[in-house]
Amino acid sequence: GPVESKTEAAMSELVPESRQKPVVPMKPLGMNANLLGYIGIDTIIEQMRKKTMKTGFDFNIMVVGQSGLGKSTLVNTLFKSQVSRKSSGWNREEKIPKTVEIKAIGHVIEEGGVKMKLTVIDTPGFGDQINNENCWEPIEKYINEQYEKFLKEEVNIARKKRIPDTRVHCCLYFISPTGHSLRPLDLEFMKHLSKVVNIIPVIAKADTMTLEEKTEFKQRVRKELEVNGIEFYPQKEFDEDLEDKTENDKIRQESMPFAVVGSDKEYQVNGKRVLGRKTPWGIIEVENLTHCEFALLRDFVIRTHLQDLKEVTHNIHYETYRAKRLNDNGGLPPMTVETEENHESNL
Amino acid sequence: GEGCRTVPLSGHVGFDSLPDQLVNKSVNHGFCFNILCVGETGLGKSTLMDTLFNTKFEGDPASHSQPGVQLKSNTYDLQESNVNLKLTIVSTVGFGDQINKEDSYKPIVEFIDAQFEAYLQEELKIKRVLHNYHDTRIHACLYFIAPTGHSLKSLDLVTMKKLDSKVNIIPIIAKSDAISKSELTKFKIKITSELVSNGVQIYQFPTDDESVAEINGTMNAHLPFAVIGSTEELKIGNKMMKARQYPWGTVQVENEAHCDFVKLREMLIRVNMEDLREQTHTRHYELYRRCKLEEMGFKDTDPDSKPFSLQETYEAKRNEFLGELQKKEEAMRQMFVQRVKEKEAELKEAEKELHEKFDRLKKLHQDEKKKLEDKKKSLDDEVNAFKQRKTAAELLQSQAQQAGGSQTLKRDKERKK
């Protein structure tokens, strides 16, 4: 009815459909060949698109943060499916892991003819011990192991047509919504890992902060990251052109870190079914931008920068690893590459 | 995926924009396409390129008197809508002009290999920039067959056989307006059967993607394409068309009943350009790389130390090769120095002889001079002596005259007695 359509319109205002960055008209080059008629070289775009649809895509996302910060829920909300197993779903008899475990689970999801193999890498046990010294090491080790795996495939004489990509493209780091400042563990982790992987810091369970608290907290966090020389994704030095820089500056200086709320439950709000969290004082709508920044995070990671996350991983982080490996001539301790079976370390 | 469950989505996530994200990045980056034209002089290679890309590329028509086969390469920046294409056209020069054509294919193979080698070297560098590398590998080789109407020349067979594992070959019949329709059909059949019986692998337009399987399948059956090139536009009806005018009629380049130009353009550019690039990278380049590395003694059996052993050994082999080159260079230089020394010695010898001769002559001259001077001196002495005697005699005479003329007279008288 008319009421519904009005709220629908209102809803769409609150969650603007992210404008796909338009295929930009190129800056005119000095042409030394005058074109007189249509050749058809612009069809390469369509040809390329068809091929990529056929091959499909890989995406590997890691979530890091203390237990209870809603990591699994957030990932499931991001991808609108059960791609991550919540810790509350664990067998009660399982002990709390003594060290950080790395659990990688893959699923295939499909949308609009696009097939994606999504791997969610969970890191249970991070920050949960009494003594958390060096708890980032197993994570860094895992990330480097994936680079090593790729490198080994790359240097084969007879290479696979498509090298399986298990490298971590994106690491969501969950910050506890204390409202004060970053904790030493947060800083240590991000300092170490921002050099080897794309880190996207998020403020978890942001429904515990008011708007003012949120804004102030975000400002403090940004300041602290800057002071500690932590470059989170999108890194300034990899902005490709002025347009990138302008867009990314806005994200870096205003939006990030995204203050998010996750949920896999649906509620009826104004005649519409929305993802939300029900509290005695109201329903927090996950995809409502006035409630939290989940939609910004989703658009950022999935709808506009997903391919870029992969390219920065491949062209920068992987190359850095490779160069270091070849230069040091074995300076890094030779790694035994873990097979799929023994991914989950023994307790 | 392998062993991965497919899970349903409960709403719109948005990763269906991924192909667009990828394509946008490629567009911003620009594309590369490299075509190699192999064919005898005069088969219309440059004209066909001009016609395909609707432009006039630079260059003068080649002569027939080339001493060997060379390759000429030119790169152009083309733009259509928002697509920037770096197009490189490489053409053989002097192909088929030599009397002895045994080695004609070699410069072509070497050129193709050199592009693979350049890419391989970049790939093996420690600090590399592959995503910004200007790819010069040949994506498509248009092989121009002379419109004899009979069969392939042995040069064609030999050359295509040498190239078929290195590049995507698309054979075309050039200047096909020289052949009648019926002869053309027979010609195509003959060419195809000769290629098959000689095991020449030409590029097959891919039929695995349903959207293009049909058109590609049909086109595969039309190979080799019979083409005509022309950049001249003539008014036919009320339209301007690319055509060639003959007294008996006008051949329209873009008329599919007249020739296969449109088919070639469709296949080469509008349907399979991306596949040609992909095949070059995943098949031809990989084969080159594998062979090269195996040649250098690498095997896949030692996985643990491979990353740097590959790097190290490749560097070592390369240094070895450069060392060899240097040694050869040094040897050549030594030989050159030696020859120079010998020549120098020869010249010095000659110089010495000349000097000696000169000295001898000089001495002779001096001796002569001395003799002459001595003679002169003795003559002078004689003259002086004579003068003295004359003076003395004159003096005596005058004394005698003065002392007494009588004396003189007396003397004279006495004398007279």
Side-chain angles (χ1 to χ4, degrees), chain A residues 23 26 42 49 111 159 308, chain B residues 13 20 24 82 84 286:
Chain A
V23 177
M26 283 304 288
D42 56 356
R49 187 182 282 121
E111 187 175 70
R159 297 198 285 204
D308 188 62
Chain B
V13 175
D20 279 325
N24 279 349
N82 53 1
N84 280 295
E286 283 300 310

Side-chain angles (χ1 to χ4, degrees), chain B residues 308-351:
Chain B
F308 15 82
S309 67
L310 184 73
Q311 178 68 24
E312 264 177 1
T313 317
Y314 191 85
E315 286 289 325
K317 294 251 175 184
R318 209 161 132 249
N319 290 336
E320 194 185 304
F321 173 70
L322 288 170
E324 288 285 330
L325 265 179
Q326 242 183 333
K327 263 196 222 152
K328 277 205 189 121
E329 220 184 283
E330 199 44 47
M332 275 180 79
R333 193 181 299 127
Q334 291 295 1
M335 202 171 77
F336 178 73
V337 166
Q338 183 63 21
R339 297 260 291 276
V340 166
K341 272 204 182 115
E342 284 172 9
K343 195 73 184 186
E344 226 177 12
E346 261 175 60
L347 285 169
K348 267 213 169 91
E349 222 11 79
E351 198 182 26

Side-chain angles (χ1 to χ4, degrees), chain B residues 218-312:
Chain B
T218 319
M219 294 296 182
N220 277 326
H222 275 102
L223 286 167
F225 292 136
V227 295
I228 298 163
S230 174
T231 46
E232 271 184 55
E233 295 208 333
L234 301 168
K235 192 160 185 156
I236 295 158
N238 56 354
K239 277 176 77 177
M240 292 301 282
M241 292 189 198
K242 289 192 268 269
R244 285 174 62 77
Q245 181 124 64
Y246 291 103
W248 47 87
T250 310
V251 180
Q252 295 154 36
V253 170
E254 282 168 293
N255 185 333
E256 288 198 69
H258 289 192
C259 76
D260 297 332
F261 173 82
V262 169
K263 293 190 177 71
L264 174 67
R265 182 179 58 198
E266 197 72 12
M267 288 294 98
L268 180 67
I269 302 175
R270 297 185 191 176
V271 177
N272 300 303
M273 187 158 54
E274 185 56 23
D275 186 68
L276 285 160
R277 280 152 38 104
E278 193 184 274
Q279 293 293 321
T280 304
H281 180 62
T282 61
R283 198 146 59 89
H284 299 298
Y285 170 70
E286 283 300 310
L287 182 63
Y288 173 85
R289 177 182 173 276
R290 194 166 72 231
C291 292
K292 190 74 198 291
L293 294 177
E294 279 172 359
E295 205 180 293
M296 293 177 128
F298 290 105
K299 290 197 241 310
D300 266 338
T301 52
D302 185 15
D304 284 319
S305 60
K306 207 147 15 73
F308 15 82
S309 67
L310 184 73
Q311 178 68 24
E312 264 177 1

Side-chain angles (χ1 to χ4, degrees), chain B residues 392-405 407-408 411:
Chain B
E394 282 176 353
L395 189 62
L396 262 170
Q397 208 174 25
S398 67
Q399 273 179 348
Q401 274 180 343
Q402 281 189 348
Q407 285 258 356
T408 319
R411 211 179 266 141

Side-chain angles (χ1 to χ4, degrees), chain A residues 20 111 298 302-304, chain B residues 11-18 21:
Chain A
Q20 184 53 246
E111 187 175 70
R298 177 203 54 208
I302 301 177
R303 295 183 188 178
T304 58
Chain B
H12 181 61
V13 175
F15 62 89
D16 53 351
S17 66
L18 258 179
Q21 291 183 39

Side-chain angles (χ1 to χ4, degrees), chain A residues 240-257:
Chain A
E240 283 181 354
D241 51 35
L242 190 59
E243 181 160 341
D244 265 1
K245 183 167 161 16
T246 324
E247 190 184 327
N248 289 340
D249 270 345
K250 190 162 187 292
I251 295 170
R252 280 188 289 258
Q253 288 155 17
E254 289 172 27
S255 318
M256 286 178 83

